[in-house]
Amino acid sequence: MSQATLGDDDLFGEAAAEMRADVEEHLDEARAVLPDADDVWNADADNVLGVLNGLRSSLNVEDATEHLRQAKKWYVIGERADAFDDPEDLEEAIEDLEELLGMVEEAHELVGELTNTMPQLRGALTDAAEAADDEEEEEEEE
């Protein structure tokens, strides 16, 4: 082998190690910005709308999603270049985090829907109760 080939192999190995480190770093950063379990479970609000708004805020995972995207990007490049000696652990970590983020994002959407629905429901129930009261008053007057 020529000196240039050995240098290229060394550089490739160094680049592969850096790529793996980038993937792992982004996975760690994504995990670090996930919502805290207690923030999702505990609520401190005066009414259901306050609880839902707090929950929706705590379920925001945009930063984690961006870190996962970066991890996947570097993983795909490394995988296609056959740069990783043991890519299975990275792939599994990405899949696990992707599944968790999907669950959190789904919960965020559901809470968002409830946040929009609850005031409408309250208004409709108030209107129905007022209509029933009005009807009862009219019957008493007759």
Side-chain angles (χ1 to χ4, degrees):
M1 268 194 213
S2 71
Q3 185 66 23
T5 304
L6 289 175
D8 289 348
D9 288 345
D10 290 341
L11 289 174
F12 185 81
E14 188 177 320
E18 289 174 7
M19 226 178 286
R20 176 179 271 284
D22 282 346
V23 172
E24 291 171 347
E25 181 181 334
H26 282 292
L27 289 173
D28 289 343
E29 289 175 15
R31 287 184 200 102
V33 295
L34 284 172
D36 183 75
D38 288 340
D39 290 343
V40 171
W41 189 252
N42 298 324
D44 185 26
D46 295 330
N47 57 45
V48 73
L49 190 57
V51 170
L52 290 171
N53 280 325
L55 181 57
R56 184 170 60 172
S57 293
S58 69
L59 292 173
N60 185 343
V61 291
E62 288 178 17
D63 291 341
T65 302
E66 180 57 28
H67 285 297
L68 177 61
R69 182 182 173 286
Q70 291 298 318
K72 286 176 71 173
K73 177 174 68 174
W74 290 112
Y75 173 79
V76 167
I77 291 169
E79 181 69 6
R80 288 188 181 167
D82 199 25
F84 303 133
D85 291 333
D86 185 22
E88 291 82 17
D89 61 328
L90 291 176
E91 183 178 17
E92 183 178 330
I94 288 170
E95 288 173 357
D96 290 348
L97 190 54
E98 210 168 25
E99 184 178 323
L100 177 57
L101 284 176
M103 189 183 313
V104 174
E105 288 170 345
E106 182 179 342
H108 185 265
E109 288 177 22
L110 291 171
V111 170
E113 289 175 19
L114 275 175
T115 301
N116 294 330
T117 301
M118 294 310 291
Q120 294 171 357
L121 176 59
R122 181 177 186 226
L125 290 171
T126 300
D127 291 348
E130 288 173 359
D133 288 345
D134 290 347
E135 199 173 293
E136 190 175 302
E137 286 177 18
E138 287 177 12
E139 287 177 7
E140 287 176 9
E141 289 176 3
E142 291 178 2

